[in-house]
Amino acid sequence: MSWQPHITVATVVEDNGRFLLVEEHAEGRQVFNQPAGHLEANETIGQAALRETLEETGWEVELTAVTGIYLYTAPSNGVTYQRVCFAAKPIAHHTELALDDGIIGPQWLTRDELAAQPERWRSELVLRCIDDYIAGERFSLSLLRD
């Protein structure tokens, strides 16, 4: 049997102490996640993060740094994900865009509002990425080579 991690991207978008989250349906429940998704063929990791953020929230963002690279095995299905998480700043909200299937909509929450609802996290990475961002974890985008 071959083991292959799934490469994913996520963005931590902060505006005045609030973080852009995606409220979505996953595994039969409503959960919060960063704008996140899988790397697709013929795109860079940065392009994937920009695309996923726009498709899931309608927000155009500018990537400013890498917050961290995480390895996570989901207890629900045993799949291992490698997540490259970016810090980003909001540029424009395109309310006319249709969001991806399963997305309820974007939500702006404080860290404390999110922390008070652990049962609604898509995974433990949701709060961890925000905590790393708050702690000042920022690595140059030049860390990534396309």
mmCIF file of all heavy atoms in Angstrom, residues 9-43:
data_model
loop_
_atom_site.group_PDB
_atom_site.id
_atom_site.type_symbol
_atom_site.label_atom_id
_atom_site.label_comp_id
_atom_site.label_asym_id
_atom_site.label_seq_id
_atom_site.Cartn_x
_atom_site.Cartn_y
_atom_site.Cartn_z
ATOM 1 N N VAL A 9 -3.282 24.128 1.212
ATOM 2 C CA VAL A 9 -2.907 25.505 1.528
ATOM 3 C C VAL A 9 -3.998 26.114 2.397
ATOM 4 O O VAL A 9 -5.136 25.654 2.386
ATOM 5 C CB VAL A 9 -2.735 26.350 0.247
ATOM 6 C CG1 VAL A 9 -1.552 25.850 -0.578
ATOM 7 C CG2 VAL A 9 -4.004 26.357 -0.582
ATOM 8 N N ALA A 10 -3.634 27.136 3.143
ATOM 9 C CA ALA A 10 -4.603 27.869 3.950
ATOM 10 C C ALA A 10 -4.101 29.299 4.100
ATOM 11 O O ALA A 10 -2.908 29.558 3.964
ATOM 12 C CB ALA A 10 -4.766 27.229 5.326
ATOM 13 N N THR A 11 -5.027 30.217 4.374
ATOM 14 C CA THR A 11 -4.627 31.596 4.625
ATOM 15 C C THR A 11 -5.217 32.081 5.944
ATOM 16 O O THR A 11 -6.372 31.817 6.257
ATOM 17 C CB THR A 11 -5.073 32.566 3.503
ATOM 18 O OG1 THR A 11 -6.484 32.484 3.350
ATOM 19 C CG2 THR A 11 -4.403 32.241 2.190
ATOM 20 N N VAL A 12 -4.367 32.772 6.701
ATOM 21 C CA VAL A 12 -4.813 33.490 7.890
ATOM 22 C C VAL A 12 -4.904 34.946 7.463
ATOM 23 O O VAL A 12 -3.894 35.589 7.186
ATOM 24 C CB VAL A 12 -3.823 33.311 9.064
ATOM 25 C CG1 VAL A 12 -4.221 34.216 10.232
ATOM 26 C CG2 VAL A 12 -3.780 31.859 9.503
ATOM 27 N N VAL A 13 -6.138 35.434 7.393
ATOM 28 C CA VAL A 13 -6.396 36.815 6.976
ATOM 29 C C VAL A 13 -6.929 37.554 8.191
ATOM 30 O O VAL A 13 -7.972 37.188 8.734
ATOM 31 C CB VAL A 13 -7.426 36.864 5.815
ATOM 32 C CG1 VAL A 13 -7.634 38.295 5.350
ATOM 33 C CG2 VAL A 13 -6.988 35.958 4.668
ATOM 34 N N GLU A 14 -6.193 38.591 8.615
ATOM 35 C CA GLU A 14 -6.575 39.340 9.817
ATOM 36 C C GLU A 14 -6.897 40.781 9.438
ATOM 37 O O GLU A 14 -6.239 41.378 8.593
ATOM 38 C CB GLU A 14 -5.406 39.305 10.813
ATOM 39 C CG GLU A 14 -5.747 39.897 12.161
ATOM 40 C CD GLU A 14 -5.253 41.324 12.340
ATOM 41 O OE1 GLU A 14 -4.370 41.751 11.588
ATOM 42 O OE2 GLU A 14 -5.771 42.003 13.233
ATOM 43 N N ASP A 15 -7.940 41.292 10.049
ATOM 44 C CA ASP A 15 -8.323 42.684 9.860
ATOM 45 C C ASP A 15 -8.852 43.214 11.188
ATOM 46 O O ASP A 15 -9.910 42.764 11.661
ATOM 47 C CB ASP A 15 -9.383 42.809 8.757
ATOM 48 C CG ASP A 15 -9.690 44.252 8.402
ATOM 49 O OD1 ASP A 15 -8.776 45.101 8.463
ATOM 50 O OD2 ASP A 15 -10.854 44.531 8.070
ATOM 51 N N ASN A 16 -8.098 44.103 11.813
ATOM 52 C CA ASN A 16 -8.502 44.717 13.078
ATOM 53 C C ASN A 16 -8.889 43.704 14.148
ATOM 54 O O ASN A 16 -9.917 43.836 14.818
ATOM 55 C CB ASN A 16 -9.654 45.705 12.845
ATOM 56 C CG ASN A 16 -9.215 46.900 12.042
ATOM 57 O OD1 ASN A 16 -8.160 47.472 12.289
ATOM 58 N ND2 ASN A 16 -10.009 47.279 11.048
ATOM 59 N N GLY A 17 -8.050 42.655 14.292
ATOM 60 C CA GLY A 17 -8.280 41.680 15.349
ATOM 61 C C GLY A 17 -9.289 40.605 15.034
ATOM 62 O O GLY A 17 -9.580 39.758 15.881
ATOM 63 N N ARG A 18 -9.829 40.626 13.840
ATOM 64 C CA ARG A 18 -10.777 39.594 13.420
ATOM 65 C C ARG A 18 -10.134 38.787 12.299
ATOM 66 O O ARG A 18 -9.372 39.309 11.497
ATOM 67 C CB ARG A 18 -12.088 40.204 12.965
ATOM 68 C CG ARG A 18 -12.805 40.933 14.125
ATOM 69 C CD ARG A 18 -14.128 41.521 13.715
ATOM 70 N NE ARG A 18 -15.353 40.930 14.201
ATOM 71 C CZ ARG A 18 -15.618 40.495 15.413
ATOM 72 N NH1 ARG A 18 -14.702 40.481 16.311
ATOM 73 N NH2 ARG A 18 -16.805 40.025 15.732
ATOM 74 N N PHE A 19 -10.489 37.509 12.248
ATOM 75 C CA PHE A 19 -9.898 36.595 11.281
ATOM 76 C C PHE A 19 -10.965 36.076 10.330
ATOM 77 O O PHE A 19 -12.075 35.722 10.753
ATOM 78 C CB PHE A 19 -9.211 35.433 12.006
ATOM 79 C CG PHE A 19 -8.041 35.888 12.822
ATOM 80 C CD1 PHE A 19 -8.198 36.236 14.151
ATOM 81 C CD2 PHE A 19 -6.787 36.011 12.240
ATOM 82 C CE1 PHE A 19 -7.122 36.681 14.905
ATOM 83 C CE2 PHE A 19 -5.708 36.462 12.982
ATOM 84 C CZ PHE A 19 -5.873 36.800 14.313
ATOM 85 N N LEU A 20 -10.611 36.042 9.049
ATOM 86 C CA LEU A 20 -11.513 35.545 8.016
ATOM 87 C C LEU A 20 -11.553 34.032 8.084
ATOM 88 O O LEU A 20 -10.530 33.361 7.929
ATOM 89 C CB LEU A 20 -11.033 36.000 6.636
ATOM 90 C CG LEU A 20 -11.845 35.514 5.440
ATOM 91 C CD1 LEU A 20 -13.292 36.027 5.503
ATOM 92 C CD2 LEU A 20 -11.168 35.946 4.137
ATOM 93 N N LEU A 21 -12.730 33.511 8.344
ATOM 94 C CA LEU A 21 -12.937 32.065 8.402
ATOM 95 C C LEU A 21 -14.016 31.674 7.415
ATOM 96 O O LEU A 21 -14.834 32.487 6.990
ATOM 97 C CB LEU A 21 -13.334 31.647 9.818
ATOM 98 C CG LEU A 21 -12.255 31.898 10.863
ATOM 99 C CD1 LEU A 21 -12.835 31.857 12.256
ATOM 100 C CD2 LEU A 21 -11.125 30.896 10.708
ATOM 101 N N VAL A 22 -14.000 30.401 7.076
ATOM 102 C CA VAL A 22 -15.014 29.833 6.199
ATOM 103 C C VAL A 22 -15.927 28.982 7.069
ATOM 104 O O VAL A 22 -15.455 28.092 7.779
ATOM 105 C CB VAL A 22 -14.362 28.956 5.110
ATOM 106 C CG1 VAL A 22 -15.414 28.251 4.283
ATOM 107 C CG2 VAL A 22 -13.447 29.784 4.235
ATOM 108 N N GLU A 23 -17.215 29.268 7.022
ATOM 109 C CA GLU A 23 -18.187 28.384 7.651
ATOM 110 C C GLU A 23 -18.660 27.440 6.557
ATOM 111 O O GLU A 23 -19.095 27.884 5.488
ATOM 112 C CB GLU A 23 -19.348 29.177 8.246
ATOM 113 C CG GLU A 23 -20.298 28.317 9.053
ATOM 114 C CD GLU A 23 -21.382 29.132 9.749
ATOM 115 O OE1 GLU A 23 -21.590 30.307 9.386
ATOM 116 O OE2 GLU A 23 -22.038 28.568 10.648
ATOM 117 N N GLU A 24 -18.538 26.149 6.809
ATOM 118 C CA GLU A 24 -18.826 25.172 5.763
ATOM 119 C C GLU A 24 -19.432 23.906 6.344
ATOM 120 O O GLU A 24 -19.363 23.664 7.545
ATOM 121 C CB GLU A 24 -17.547 24.837 4.995
ATOM 122 C CG GLU A 24 -16.472 24.204 5.851
ATOM 123 C CD GLU A 24 -15.144 24.001 5.134
ATOM 124 O OE1 GLU A 24 -15.134 23.968 3.893
ATOM 125 O OE2 GLU A 24 -14.131 23.850 5.815
ATOM 126 N N HIS A 25 -20.015 23.105 5.445
ATOM 127 C CA HIS A 25 -20.511 21.777 5.812
ATOM 128 C C HIS A 25 -19.384 20.782 5.590
ATOM 129 O O HIS A 25 -18.804 20.730 4.504
ATOM 130 C CB HIS A 25 -21.706 21.382 4.945
ATOM 131 C CG HIS A 25 -22.908 22.240 5.160
ATOM 132 N ND1 HIS A 25 -23.717 22.116 6.264
ATOM 133 C CD2 HIS A 25 -23.439 23.230 4.418
ATOM 134 C CE1 HIS A 25 -24.702 22.997 6.182
ATOM 135 N NE2 HIS A 25 -24.547 23.695 5.081
ATOM 136 N N ALA A 26 -19.064 19.992 6.607
ATOM 137 C CA ALA A 26 -18.044 18.954 6.488
ATOM 138 C C ALA A 26 -18.392 17.818 7.438
ATOM 139 O O ALA A 26 -18.679 18.052 8.608
ATOM 140 C CB ALA A 26 -16.657 19.506 6.811
ATOM 141 N N GLU A 27 -18.372 16.624 6.908
ATOM 142 C CA GLU A 27 -18.625 15.428 7.713
ATOM 143 C C GLU A 27 -19.920 15.537 8.508
ATOM 144 O O GLU A 27 -19.988 15.182 9.685
ATOM 145 C CB GLU A 27 -17.423 15.139 8.616
ATOM 146 C CG GLU A 27 -16.142 14.922 7.837
ATOM 147 C CD GLU A 27 -14.895 14.912 8.704
ATOM 148 O OE1 GLU A 27 -15.003 15.018 9.949
ATOM 149 O OE2 GLU A 27 -13.806 14.799 8.122
ATOM 150 N N GLY A 28 -20.955 16.082 7.862
ATOM 151 C CA GLY A 28 -22.279 16.152 8.469
ATOM 152 C C GLY A 28 -22.461 17.225 9.526
ATOM 153 O O GLY A 28 -23.429 17.191 10.285
ATOM 154 N N ARG A 29 -21.567 18.182 9.596
ATOM 155 C CA ARG A 29 -21.720 19.256 10.584
ATOM 156 C C ARG A 29 -21.241 20.573 9.992
ATOM 157 O O ARG A 29 -20.587 20.601 8.961
ATOM 158 C CB ARG A 29 -20.980 18.926 11.883
ATOM 159 C CG ARG A 29 -19.517 18.650 11.705
ATOM 160 C CD ARG A 29 -18.890 18.010 12.958
ATOM 161 N NE ARG A 29 -17.461 17.905 12.772
ATOM 162 C CZ ARG A 29 -16.559 18.685 13.348
ATOM 163 N NH1 ARG A 29 -16.933 19.629 14.189
ATOM 164 N NH2 ARG A 29 -15.271 18.530 13.117
ATOM 165 N N GLN A 30 -21.600 21.674 10.664
ATOM 166 C CA GLN A 30 -21.150 23.001 10.250
ATOM 167 C C GLN A 30 -19.890 23.339 11.031
ATOM 168 O O GLN A 30 -19.896 23.302 12.258
ATOM 169 C CB GLN A 30 -22.233 24.041 10.512
ATOM 170 C CG GLN A 30 -23.442 23.877 9.621
ATOM 171 C CD GLN A 30 -24.498 24.933 9.889
ATOM 172 O OE1 GLN A 30 -24.476 25.617 10.902
ATOM 173 N NE2 GLN A 30 -25.435 25.045 8.972
ATOM 174 N N VAL A 31 -18.825 23.663 10.293
ATOM 175 C CA VAL A 31 -17.526 23.886 10.925
ATOM 176 C C VAL A 31 -16.899 25.181 10.421
ATOM 177 O O VAL A 31 -17.318 25.743 9.404
ATOM 178 C CB VAL A 31 -16.565 22.698 10.659
ATOM 179 C CG1 VAL A 31 -17.098 21.422 11.266
ATOM 180 C CG2 VAL A 31 -16.306 22.529 9.160
ATOM 181 N N PHE A 32 -15.864 25.615 11.144
ATOM 182 C CA PHE A 32 -15.047 26.755 10.738
ATOM 183 C C PHE A 32 -13.677 26.252 10.303
ATOM 184 O O PHE A 32 -13.117 25.343 10.911
ATOM 185 C CB PHE A 32 -14.852 27.747 11.892
ATOM 186 C CG PHE A 32 -16.086 28.487 12.287
ATOM 187 C CD1 PHE A 32 -16.603 28.351 13.564
ATOM 188 C CD2 PHE A 32 -16.729 29.324 11.395
ATOM 189 C CE1 PHE A 32 -17.736 29.042 13.940
ATOM 190 C CE2 PHE A 32 -17.866 30.020 11.759
ATOM 191 C CZ PHE A 32 -18.372 29.876 13.041
ATOM 192 N N ASN A 33 -13.152 26.874 9.284
ATOM 193 C CA ASN A 33 -11.806 26.594 8.803
ATOM 194 C C ASN A 33 -11.234 27.884 8.242
ATOM 195 O O ASN A 33 -11.980 28.823 7.948
ATOM 196 C CB ASN A 33 -11.840 25.520 7.707
ATOM 197 C CG ASN A 33 -10.491 24.882 7.437
ATOM 198 O OD1 ASN A 33 -9.510 25.108 8.141
ATOM 199 N ND2 ASN A 33 -10.445 24.058 6.401
ATOM 200 N N GLN A 34 -9.923 27.926 8.099
ATOM 201 C CA GLN A 34 -9.361 28.998 7.299
ATOM 202 C C GLN A 34 -9.799 28.749 5.856
ATOM 203 O O GLN A 34 -10.130 27.616 5.502
ATOM 204 C CB GLN A 34 -7.815 28.957 7.322
ATOM 205 C CG GLN A 34 -7.182 29.699 8.448
ATOM 206 C CD GLN A 34 -7.053 28.827 9.683
ATOM 207 O OE1 GLN A 34 -6.917 27.630 9.614
ATOM 208 N NE2 GLN A 34 -7.097 29.456 10.838
ATOM 209 N N PRO A 35 -9.775 29.782 5.015
ATOM 210 C CA PRO A 35 -9.907 29.493 3.594
ATOM 211 C C PRO A 35 -8.775 28.521 3.250
ATOM 212 O O PRO A 35 -7.600 28.813 3.517
ATOM 213 C CB PRO A 35 -9.704 30.851 2.922
ATOM 214 C CG PRO A 35 -9.991 31.861 3.999
ATOM 215 C CD PRO A 35 -9.591 31.208 5.284
ATOM 216 N N ALA A 36 -9.127 27.358 2.737
ATOM 217 C CA ALA A 36 -8.126 26.306 2.563
ATOM 218 C C ALA A 36 -8.576 25.320 1.496
ATOM 219 O O ALA A 36 -9.764 25.211 1.199
ATOM 220 C CB ALA A 36 -7.914 25.569 3.890
ATOM 221 N N GLY A 37 -7.615 24.613 0.966
ATOM 222 C CA GLY A 37 -7.942 23.586 -0.008
ATOM 223 C C GLY A 37 -6.699 22.948 -0.571
ATOM 224 O O GLY A 37 -5.578 23.203 -0.120
ATOM 225 N N HIS A 38 -6.909 22.116 -1.576
ATOM 226 C CA HIS A 38 -5.843 21.316 -2.157
ATOM 227 C C HIS A 38 -5.130 22.038 -3.289
ATOM 228 O O HIS A 38 -5.741 22.777 -4.059
ATOM 229 C CB HIS A 38 -6.417 19.997 -2.688
ATOM 230 C CG HIS A 38 -6.915 19.108 -1.604
ATOM 231 N ND1 HIS A 38 -6.144 18.125 -1.039
ATOM 232 C CD2 HIS A 38 -8.101 19.057 -0.958
ATOM 233 C CE1 HIS A 38 -6.834 17.503 -0.096
ATOM 234 N NE2 HIS A 38 -8.032 18.062 -0.029
ATOM 235 N N LEU A 39 -3.858 21.774 -3.379
ATOM 236 C CA LEU A 39 -3.045 22.229 -4.499
ATOM 237 C C LEU A 39 -3.522 21.495 -5.751
ATOM 238 O O LEU A 39 -3.736 20.284 -5.721
ATOM 239 C CB LEU A 39 -1.574 21.900 -4.223
ATOM 240 C CG LEU A 39 -0.561 22.251 -5.303
ATOM 241 C CD1 LEU A 39 -0.450 23.763 -5.459
ATOM 242 C CD2 LEU A 39 0.794 21.646 -4.960
ATOM 243 N N GLU A 40 -3.720 22.243 -6.830
ATOM 244 C CA GLU A 40 -4.143 21.640 -8.097
ATOM 245 C C GLU A 40 -2.969 21.611 -9.063
ATOM 246 O O GLU A 40 -1.971 22.329 -8.881
ATOM 247 C CB GLU A 40 -5.311 22.423 -8.686
ATOM 248 C CG GLU A 40 -6.573 22.296 -7.856
ATOM 249 C CD GLU A 40 -7.776 23.007 -8.450
ATOM 250 O OE1 GLU A 40 -7.646 23.654 -9.514
ATOM 251 O OE2 GLU A 40 -8.857 22.915 -7.843
ATOM 252 N N ALA A 41 -3.105 20.797 -10.087
ATOM 253 C CA ALA A 41 -2.059 20.666 -11.097
ATOM 254 C C ALA A 41 -1.775 22.022 -11.744
ATOM 255 O O ALA A 41 -2.689 22.824 -11.951
ATOM 256 C CB ALA A 41 -2.484 19.660 -12.165
ATOM 257 N N ASN A 42 -0.519 22.264 -12.044
ATOM 258 C CA ASN A 42 -0.085 23.446 -12.794
ATOM 259 C C ASN A 42 -0.306 24.768 -12.073
ATOM 260 O O ASN A 42 -0.479 25.797 -12.724
ATOM 261 C CB ASN A 42 -0.728 23.481 -14.184
ATOM 262 C CG ASN A 42 -0.406 22.241 -14.987
ATOM 263 O OD1 ASN A 42 0.752 21.817 -15.043
ATOM 264 N ND2 ASN A 42 -1.407 21.635 -15.581
ATOM 265 N N GLU A 43 -0.330 24.761 -10.742
ATOM 266 C CA GLU A 43 -0.371 26.021 -10.018
ATOM 267 C C GLU A 43 0.678 25.993 -8.917
ATOM 268 O O GLU A 43 1.056 24.929 -8.441
ATOM 269 C CB GLU A 43 -1.767 26.326 -9.453
ATOM 270 C CG GLU A 43 -2.231 25.464 -8.322
ATOM 271 C CD GLU A 43 -3.634 25.811 -7.831
ATOM 272 O OE1 GLU A 43 -4.225 26.828 -8.224
ATOM 273 O OE2 GLU A 43 -4.156 25.016 -7.025
#
